[in-house]
Each structure stands twice: as structure tokens, then as C-alpha cells.
Amino acid sequence: MTSAAQLDELSINTIRTLSMDAVEKAKSGHPGAPMALAPLAYLLYTRVMKHNPANSEWFDRDRFILSAGHASMLLYSSLYLSGYGLTLEDLENFRQLGSPTPGHPERRVAAGVEATTGPLGQGLSMSVGLALAEAMLASRFNRSGHDLIDHRTWVIASDGDIQEGVASEASSLAGHLGLGKLTVFYDNNHIQLAGKTAMAFSEDVPKRYEAYGWHVQDLGEEISLGDMERAIETAEGVADQPSLIVLRTHIGYGSPNKQDSYKAHGSPLGEDEVRLTKEAYGWDPDAHFLVPDEVLAHFRETAVERGAAAEADWTERAAAYREKHADDWAELSLIIDGRLPEGWDSDPPRFDPGDGKVATRKASSDVIQWAAAQVPHLISGSADLEPSTLTEIEGGGSVERGDYSGRNVHYGVREHGMTAIVNGLVLHGLRAFGSTFFNFSDYMKGALRMAAIMELPAIAVFTHDSIGLGEDGPTHQPIEQLAHLRATPNLYMVRPSDANETALAWQFALGQTEVPVAFALSRQGLPIWSPDDVPGDAIERGAYVLRDSSADGDPDVILIGTGSEVSICVEAAELLEADGVSVRVVSAPCLDRFEEQPGAYRDSVLPPSVRARVSVEAATPLGWDRWTTDDGDQVAMRNFGASAPQPVLYEHFGFTGEAVAGRAKTVLDRLGARA
């Protein structure tokens, strides 16, 4: 009969050998970290975490994030053994096309994978968002005798995660907020891809995290199951600090020739070394993807049975909660189900042209208040710029250490960390956005890309969208950012031209379920179009005819603008019409959506027969030739701007009605299209 200790060792070595075999068969991957971390994964999945493999979406489950995503076979082996639906064949097809076991964990590809990880630091940072969401939901919904939200977030982080700046930003905020249900295991194996970490990394990580306000335990070499279990119990007892547990592991554990070597990091061990390692484990060296019956039975008993019992208990408590707190349950159900309230978008704000010029950031502020009233789980946030981005939910309260009931998160000057944390909030079912100046989207691009890959409906609110911000000059004036984000698959970049387009932009963004949305909003005031001239599907369609010529037939020239420059197109159109030129003005708030429209709609807005087209956008012209044709022109920025008041800059760089009209006439003359 197998003893408990023998079963532990057999289970751990099963994770190790499955990981080695999968990497070896794929001839690609990272075997060393799974071999080293197998005891921790075994402990978490069989004894520690509250999870139900039969229902990977159970709301009150613990969240596990493998921030060290290169160690993906550690996760896949654990999920297979625990009963999450992966098969041995799936492990054998590691890193193959169409397999649910890709090179790095991907959300929605395999049950039990909470987030897409791999770009180092992102998983750890998203985990802060997950832990913050748990705290916010518990504060909002738990009632005396009815603690319906009570789960933890567990993370495995590598030295690379710890080195990346995004993790530093997020970890700092986690300590500041005292997120006690977040536990991070730091795999301190002294090895990174190019060699020893000592080549570039010598800081005292435990002291750094203590300075962040974390509770830290450094277990050193004492990482037996008992040692780790006691450390976890200690961490769980610290309610007002996140926990870092440092483990001195040995990459490629058990490999006679590659343990503690970078050669076990990013490459297969090689067939000969795999045999030697299996022999060192007391394993059959000729067996591949071997899973002893007693190991599988043990995992299924500990994970499946414990998980089913935990969820059944929660379901019973949820029924009692629903009966006693029906309104709260109705609101919580929106979050659990990923829904918005019925009819939430039935009456978006409308703005009157008689109100004069209004900056789209100011219009957005007004719309946010409407949206917050309609969507109770909308969460605001800013990177220390609330007075400038105008994104605070009025009366929503601030999220603070020990009081997580607010709706406004103050991220400090941490754009990258903010965006990753927002991703975590959205992963947990909240609708959340972060805000900053558009130029600083550069700091956020990695996390925005992760939102797009994960199909998360996160929202990024960018203000000060162009050279129109004026005196702050080139360091703050976005030029290439629009093109950069438009080039990102599965992300909608929206630049509304007035207050009414801005209201529709928020309605559009909140209606998304699988696509993140970014806004670029103006600092300067802009004219307000009549609501009757802005169709309700203006953002959904991506572009529309705002102003058309009174002449019959196709126009002589089409002016296409976005954001602040649409009003300049209208001014230019009036000048051209006075000279007998028929002009169409197209507002294109979301070129990504316009590109997705049927060809017939695109042709109705931009008739193929009209080759005289001029785009007007105070940003790089990259990508605009798709819409202006080879015969058209682009009024755009070809340098980084300058420091001066906004009207002076627009005059200097040619963004005036007169200048645009002149460019249009040049195009018409070149084409011989003028009468």
C-alpha cells in the first residue's frame, strides 16, 4: 500500500515528468520551472485552494495565476490531474496548432486558466486587480451572517516577473491598499533565460516588498510540503497585508546535468537527459506521459470532491442570501453573469449646440455620471490625473486601505500597473476603466494588448488627445499613438468629434463584451453637433456623413476628420462651397469599426468614384492612405509638435479651415476635377 508521503512524492513527480515529456515531444518549451515548482502546484491544487474542477467559473473560487507563464506545463499538468477537462492527448499536443495547451496560458482556451500570461509582470499585476475586486465585492455585498464573497488570489511569479516594472507598480499599490487575500510565491531559482540572475539582479527582494507594505516570508531552502503549508497558513492569517512567500527552488530539479542551469529554462532537456532525470526520480525511463492510477485517483478525490462540496455549500448560502437580500443579489448576479442592467442604454445624454463649445473630456465627465447611475458595477480610476481627465464618479467614494466600498480607484502615477489592474478587475466581472493623458498610452501598451488578446471589455480613457493640449509641448502631445492603437487587433480606438459622439462612445464601449475600447478626448472646447445629425449608430458604424453638399450626385471632394479636426473640416467645407465646390464631410470616430462594416456601407460613405479625398487629423498620417486613396491627401502631423497655445499650434501646423480648403483645392486641381 502506498503511504501518504509516497503518494505525495509520486504525485509531484507525475507533474514533473508530464511537463518534461510534453516539452520534449514539442521540441519547444520551458521544462525547468515546472520541475522545480511541482511540489507547490501539487499543494495548491490538492490541499490549499478553494476550487471546483467541475465548474471552473464558480464565482467564489480562489483564483490562481501563473504569472511565470513560460512554466505553462506546470499549470496544464495540474489542470489535467485535477479534472478540469484536459486530456493526456492535450498534453501530448503541447504547443501545437489548435491545442488547448498553447505555449503560454491563454484565457478561454482551457478551463481553469484564469488569465493569459507570459509577458512577465502582467500576471502578477492582474492578480492585484483580482484581489482588489474581491475586496470591493466583499465590501459591497457581504452582510452580517452572509459572507458570500470570500476567496483568495494565488500567484506564482518568477524572477522576471519581479524585475519587470509593471509588477513593481502594481505591487506598490497592493501594499498601499493592504490586499490581505493576495499571496504571491516568488520562485527564487537564481536563473533566468540568459544565465544567472546575478548578471543583472542583486537587490534584496524581500526587503523591497516589505517596503511596499507586504508581509514577507523567506523560506530559503526549507520548502517541503509542510514548510510551505505552514507559511501559507501564516499568510492567510495576515488580513491587512498582501503576502510574498519566497522559495529558493532549483530549476530543472533532479536533472543530473542541467539542474540550476539556464539550459533547463527555455529549451527541452533532450532525450538522454530526460531518461537520466526519470531514473533519478525512480521513474520508468521508457515511459512517456505516465500517470499512475493512484495519482489520478488522489487528485480527483482531493480536488473534485473537495471542490464540489465547497461549491455546494456556497450555493446553499447564496440561496439564503438571495431570499434575505434580493436587491443585492440582483445586482451581484449582473457581475456573476457578466450582464448589464436591462434597459441601461435606453436614454443616453444628449447635448445641445446652443451650449457652446465643450471639450469632449468634459462631455465624457457628464456621461460617466449617467453611466455610473445605469451600471452599478462601473469602476473609475486614474493615474493621478482625475482633475484633468475628469473621470471621477461623483459621490462614488474612493477605494482606500480597509475600506473598499468606493467606486474610484486612485492608482497614483502608475499607468502600466493601472491598466493591468483594470484588466484584473474586469476579469472578475466588474466594468472598469483607467484614465490618463493620451501620450502616456505608451506606458500602457503592454497591458492594453493583453486586454485585447484576452477579449476583455476594459476601457481606457485618454484625454489631451492631440497638439491641441498646447503649451506642454512635444513631450505631452500625442502623435503616433492613434496609429499605434488602431494597429492593435481586437481593440477599438474611438476619437469622438463632439459631446454627442462622446455619449454614444460610452454607450458603445459599455456594450462591448469581448473587445477593449480606448477613447481619445480633447482638452479644448469643440462645437456641438445637433443630436439629429449624429446617428445613434455613429460609433458602431465607425464613420458617417455629418455634412453633405446640397448639390445633386456625388460630391467633388470628401473631407474626412476625427475628433477635434472634424469641426475644421466643416469650416473648410463652408469655404469650398462658397467657391462652388460640392463637399461631403465625414466624421470617423472609430476607423476600426468602419473597416469592419460591409463594403456597401463603406462605399455609401466614401463613394469609390470620388477620388478627391482629404483626411484631417492632428496625428501621424500612417494608415490614412487606405481611406484617402493614392489620389488624395492627408493633413497630418509629421513631427512631434511644439509648445504654444492651441490656436497658435493649429495655425502653425495647418489645421485651419482655410488651410484644409487650400489642400482640397490642390487635390482637385491635380485630378482635373474642378470645373
Side-chain angles (χ1 to χ4, degrees):
M1 182 176 179
T2 306
S3 70
Q6 290 172 324
L7 187 55
D8 287 343
E9 184 178 5
L10 194 62
S11 299
I12 291 166
N13 285 337
T14 300
I15 295 174
R16 286 171 171 152
T17 55
L18 285 174
S19 301
M20 291 160 50
D21 285 342
V23 171
E24 197 63 37
K25 187 173 187 294
K27 302 301 180 188
S28 173
H30 301 71
M35 295 162 68
L37 291 165
L40 175 59
Y42 168 68
L43 181 64
L44 290 174
Y45 276 88
T46 61
R47 300 185 193 172
V48 173
M49 291 197 304
K50 181 174 67 173
H51 66 115
N52 184 7
N55 182 8
S56 64
E57 298 297 317
W58 169 38
F59 194 70
D60 200 42
R61 69 191 181 277
D62 285 359
R63 270 66 172 177
F64 172 71
I65 301 294
L66 182 65
S67 193
H70 56 274
S72 57
M73 272 309 305
L74 178 74
L75 178 56
Y76 300 146
S77 298
S78 301
L79 293 176
Y80 161 68
L81 292 169
S82 298
Y84 274 86
L86 288 178
T87 66
L88 267 181
E89 184 180 5
D90 293 330
L91 303 191
E92 292 171 3
N93 286 323
F94 177 56
R95 289 188 166 222
Q96 304 309 302
L97 184 64
S99 168
T101 53
H104 293 82
E106 296 181 25
R107 177 178 180 254
R108 290 182 170 175
V109 172
V113 176
E114 298 283 1
T116 301
T117 58
L120 293 174
Q122 291 290 336
L124 195 164
S125 303
M126 283 187 280
S127 300
V128 174
L130 287 167
L132 177 57
E134 193 276 344
M136 295 173 73
L137 292 168
S139 180
R140 181 180 295 194
F141 292 107
N142 284 353
R143 298 290 180 267
S144 177
H146 295 274
D147 289 340
L148 209 56
I149 310 298
D150 183 17
H151 53 267
R152 309 185 70 86
T153 302
W154 308 92
V155 186
I156 292 180
S158 66
D159 53 81
D161 290 294
I162 298 296
Q163 290 176 43
E164 285 285 1
V166 62
S168 298
E169 293 183 14
S171 297
S172 175
L173 186 62
H176 172 75
L177 292 175
L179 299 177
K181 289 186 177 178
L182 172 63
T183 300
V184 176
F185 299 94
Y186 168 32
D187 177 25
N188 183 27
N189 61 31
H190 296 191
I191 298 294
Q192 54 196 47
L193 192 142
K196 294 183 178 181
T197 55
M199 296 187 303
F201 191 56
S202 55
E203 68 189 40
D204 191 325
V205 173
K207 286 184 178 178
R208 170 154 69 97
Y209 271 76
E210 286 176 354
Y212 287 152
W214 287 53
H215 179 266
V216 177
Q217 300 174 78
D218 189 346
L219 302 189
E221 299 272 0
E222 304 300 321
I223 56 172
S224 68
L225 294 179
D227 292 325
M228 289 190 292
E229 202 159 14
R230 283 186 289 273
I232 288 168
E233 290 173 356
T234 299
E236 289 177 329
V238 180
D240 59 352
Q241 290 179 286
S243 288
L244 182 76
I245 299 176
V246 184
L247 310 176
R248 169 61 174 109
T249 67
H250 294 275
I251 195 168
Y253 180 85
S255 171
N257 300 300
K258 294 188 177 181
Q259 178 175 311
D260 293 326
S261 167
Y262 73 94
K263 294 179 181 179
H265 188 304
S267 302
L269 296 179
E271 292 182 11
D272 292 342
E273 192 68 16
V274 168
R275 287 184 62 86
L276 291 172
T277 306
K278 287 180 177 178
E279 289 174 350
Y281 294 158
W283 209 259
D284 181 355
D286 294 314
H288 300 285
F289 296 95
L290 172 63
V291 180
D293 292 341
E294 58 266 49
V295 168
L296 194 59
H298 174 55
F299 262 91
R300 299 296 164 89
E301 178 182 354
T302 54
V304 176
E305 293 184 12
R306 284 176 62 251
E311 183 177 358
D313 173 69
W314 184 84
T315 301
E316 183 178 334
R317 290 187 287 112
Y321 182 96
R322 180 167 59 247
E323 183 175 339
K324 192 171 183 63
H325 304 285
D327 290 343
D328 290 330
W329 174 259
E331 186 177 322
L332 177 59
S333 295
L334 297 174
I335 299 168
I336 293 174
D337 299 337
R339 295 180 291 112
L340 298 179
E342 191 73 26
W344 72 273
D345 60 346
S346 59
D347 190 23
R350 290 163 64 93
F351 295 84
D352 192 305
D355 293 338
K357 292 186 176 183
V358 175
T360 52
R361 65 168 175 160
K362 176 61 176 69
S364 171
S365 179
D366 294 341
V367 180
I368 285 171
Q369 311 317 315
W370 164 79
Q374 303 300 112
V375 181
H377 51 290
L378 179 65
I379 305 300
S380 167
S382 175
D384 190 46
L385 287 170
E386 294 92 337
S388 293
T389 60
L390 306 180
T391 47
E392 188 166 354
I393 295 174
E394 296 172 3
S398 296
V399 173
E400 300 176 357
R401 183 187 186 94
D403 181 2
Y404 308 103
S405 60
R407 299 179 68 181
N408 297 291
V409 182
H410 304 289
Y411 291 99
V413 188
R414 302 184 182 99
E415 278 89 354
H416 200 173
M418 171 182 72
T419 314
I421 293 170
V422 165
N423 287 347
L425 294 174
V426 177
L427 279 170
H428 211 303
L430 296 170
R431 299 307 305 269
F433 65 86
S435 66
T436 187
F437 292 167
F438 192 25
N439 192 61
F440 302 142
S441 64
D442 292 347
Y443 291 145
M444 300 164 57
K445 180 57 170 61
L448 286 172
R449 185 173 190 269
M450 295 298 289
I453 290 173
M454 289 190 288
E455 300 180 340
L456 282 182
I459 299 173
V461 181
F462 299 120
T463 66
H464 297 59
D465 68 334
S466 70
I467 61 170
L469 65 88
E471 293 86 347
D472 277 339
T475 61
H476 283 53
Q477 291 168 3
I479 302 297
E480 71 278 18
Q481 284 73 17
L482 279 168
H484 196 180
L485 293 180
R486 285 173 180 156
T488 304
N490 199 51
L491 184 149
Y492 291 139
M493 181 69 245
V494 181
R495 190 174 184 232
S497 69
D498 86 320
N500 286 306
E501 282 191 11
T502 301
L504 294 175
W506 270 104
Q507 187 183 40
F508 170 78
L510 287 170
Q512 298 306 309
T513 58
E514 297 183 342
V515 182
V517 177
F519 299 145
L521 305 173
S522 75
R523 176 181 185 248
Q524 73 271 30
L526 302 175
I528 298 174
W529 314 127
S530 169
D532 295 334
D533 292 336
V534 182
D537 61 357
I539 313 299
E540 187 72 33
R541 289 289 200 175
Y544 67 98
V545 178
L546 174 66
R547 178 195 186 280
D548 218 350
S549 171
S550 59
D552 293 335
D554 289 339
D556 296 323
V557 64
I558 300 174
L559 305 179
I560 315 166
T562 77
S564 315
E565 289 73 69
V566 173
S567 60
I568 296 171
C569 291
V570 172
E571 293 175 15
E574 293 171 352
L575 294 172
L576 289 166
E577 293 274 5
D579 283 347
V581 179
S582 63
V583 184
R584 169 176 291 183
V585 174
V586 170
S587 176
C590 186
L591 287 173
D592 310 300
R593 283 297 300 163
F594 188 56
E595 186 173 3
E596 293 175 356
Q597 299 309 299
Y601 178 77
R602 295 200 305 268
D603 289 347
S604 72
V605 176
L606 301 174
S609 60
V610 182
R611 305 287 292 176
R613 305 176 186 177
V614 178
S615 64
V616 186
E617 187 172 69
T620 178
L622 184 66
W624 271 106
D625 56 349
R626 160 85 187 273
W627 309 110
T628 59
T629 79
D630 294 339
D631 296 324
D633 194 8
Q634 301 98 31
V635 180
M637 291 295 297
R638 289 173 170 81
N639 62 28
F640 284 113
S643 176
Q646 180 266 327
V648 175
L649 290 175
Y650 268 62
E651 177 84 27
H652 176 73
F653 288 110
F655 293 97
T656 65
E658 293 83 356
V660 171
R663 295 282 284 271
K665 289 177 181 178
T666 299
V667 169
L668 288 166
D669 288 341
R670 186 173 66 245
L671 293 175
R674 296 183 72 195

